[in-house]
Amino acid sequence: MLACLAVIGLVACAPGTVATPMSTPSTDGYAQTVSPGTAQVPDPVVTTDCDPRVTYDPLPTAGRLAPANQIGDPAMRAIRERGYLVVGVSSDTRLLGSVVPANQTFEGFDIDVARAVATAMFGDPNRIRFVTITAQQRESVLESGSVDMVARAVSMTCDRWENIAFSAQYLTAYQRLLVHGTPGSASDLGLSDMKGKKVCAPANTSSLARLSEYPDVTPVAAVNHTACLMLFQENEVDAITGDDTILAGLAAQDAFAVVTSAPAIAEEPYGLAFNRKNVELVRYVNAVLVQYTTPDASGS
């Protein structure tokens, strides 16, 4: 097993996130894959003392995918035959995954991580098809096989491991609070200061679930954080809670919103998400992440 402490990063990280510079992995040679069922990998999920950051061991190499007839694993073979990777992402989360209106292209940290995987697989970051999904759809699209991978700020939890699988941790975020403020102002308000207040979070998220620990706070569920921002701007809710990576993007869209400096509500380790059956694909992506977090020979 691999205890996942590796994090890859870009300059667009919000305060509180952990990031290290990317190195450039080699894409020479083909990935060494195994036949279905031959990988001796124990299930990361345990009934006691679960650490959701523990994932499957990486493959020995993460070179480009071999010709389809040389790949034994069904999921990897299907991707090779198709010729591109299908990834579920957000289209409205600034800094992580959003669409640029001018040219309708995707940009953000999660988008760059997904492109890194496509580059390793095919030697081309554009061999990828992005599918816009909501936070509530992250598990269902994997279970249905609609996408190969989800790169949409998915926090690794033991409960989620029951339904989907995760890669190595690639980013550490922290659940915090966004409140009203004047341009350039600061705030140290926390959830304990929100007694009698309405706090918004997307439905079916760990951020919303944690609001139940604060009985004096009124939770308000929305479709996504953008919907929360609309309620916030209309004064229908008093605050928004979520990962600081996401809240930073909301604050960038509203000069009268500020991410508080109060102690974090929870740590949120991010992992790329997969169908639980596709262990070989997870191991391949873990090898890609190792390449991107290991300094090259020059020490850069």
Side-chain angles (χ1 to χ4, degrees):
M1 300 262 224
L2 173 68
C4 304
L5 301 177
V7 182
I8 64 179
L10 302 176
V11 296
C13 295
T17 61
V18 178
T20 56
M22 282 185 172
S23 59
T24 303
S26 169
T27 56
D28 295 335
Y30 290 131
Q32 301 299 309
T33 62
V34 298
S35 300
T38 62
Q40 300 300 310
V41 183
D43 193 327
V45 179
V46 293
T47 56
T48 59
D49 195 28
C50 173
D51 182 350
R53 298 169 298 175
V54 175
T55 183
Y56 300 104
D57 290 329
L59 288 177
T61 181
R64 284 174 291 165
L65 296 184
N69 61 6
Q70 297 180 25
I71 300 176
D73 179 74
M76 300 280 280
R77 185 172 62 248
I79 293 171
R80 180 58 169 167
E81 290 176 342
R82 187 197 305 133
Y84 56 88
L85 187 68
V86 182
V87 184
V89 297
S90 172
S91 64
D92 62 352
T93 306
R94 290 280 297 274
L95 305 182
L96 286 178
S98 61
V99 173
V100 180
N103 54 21
Q104 293 300 298
T105 59
F106 286 86
E107 68 174 8
F109 187 91
D110 283 342
I111 304 303
D112 288 338
V113 173
R115 290 193 187 281
V117 175
T119 298
M121 285 184 163
F122 301 105
D124 183 351
N126 297 314
R127 291 283 198 96
I128 193 167
R129 177 174 295 175
F130 294 113
V131 177
T132 299
I133 60 173
T134 65
Q136 298 96 304
Q137 294 174 314
R138 292 177 296 191
E139 294 186 22
S140 63
V141 294
L142 290 170
E143 292 171 339
S144 68
S146 301
V147 301
D148 303 312
M149 180 177 85
V150 166
R152 197 192 188 287
V154 191
S155 298
M156 306 164 75
T157 69
C158 292
D159 286 343
R160 286 177 176 159
W161 261 109
E162 295 294 335
N163 302 312
I164 59 177
F166 287 102
S167 72
Q169 180 182 345
Y170 70 92
L171 182 67
T172 301
Y174 297 88
Q175 184 179 347
R176 298 188 187 276
L177 201 64
L178 182 140
V179 298
H180 293 285
T182 56
S185 65
S187 173
D188 60 359
L189 294 176
L191 276 178
S192 59
D193 301 305
M194 293 289 110
K195 294 181 179 179
K197 304 293 186 180
K198 296 179 179 179
V199 179
C200 188
N204 299 321
T205 61
S206 55
S207 295
L208 182 68
R210 289 195 185 97
L211 292 180
S212 63
E213 301 173 15
Y214 299 82
D216 295 326
V217 172
T218 301
V220 176
V223 174
N224 51 34
H225 276 100
T226 298
C228 279
L229 182 61
M230 293 177 62
L231 294 174
F232 179 80
Q233 293 173 330
E234 295 169 355
N235 292 315
E236 295 294 327
V237 299
D238 302 288
I240 303 172
T241 190
D243 301 347
D244 51 6
T245 48
I246 297 172
L247 297 184
L250 298 182
Q253 302 173 64
D254 188 339
F256 294 91
V258 58
V259 180
T260 74
S261 60
I265 300 164
E267 181 178 314
E268 300 287 1
Y270 284 2
L272 301 171
F274 303 84
N275 185 295
R276 286 270 286 151
K277 298 178 181 178
N278 297 340
V279 172
E280 195 75 357
L281 178 57
V282 181
R283 297 183 68 209
Y284 176 85
V285 171
N286 281 345
V288 175
L289 295 180
V290 168
Q291 287 187 327
Y292 271 91
T293 56
T294 303
D296 59 28
S298 65
S300 62

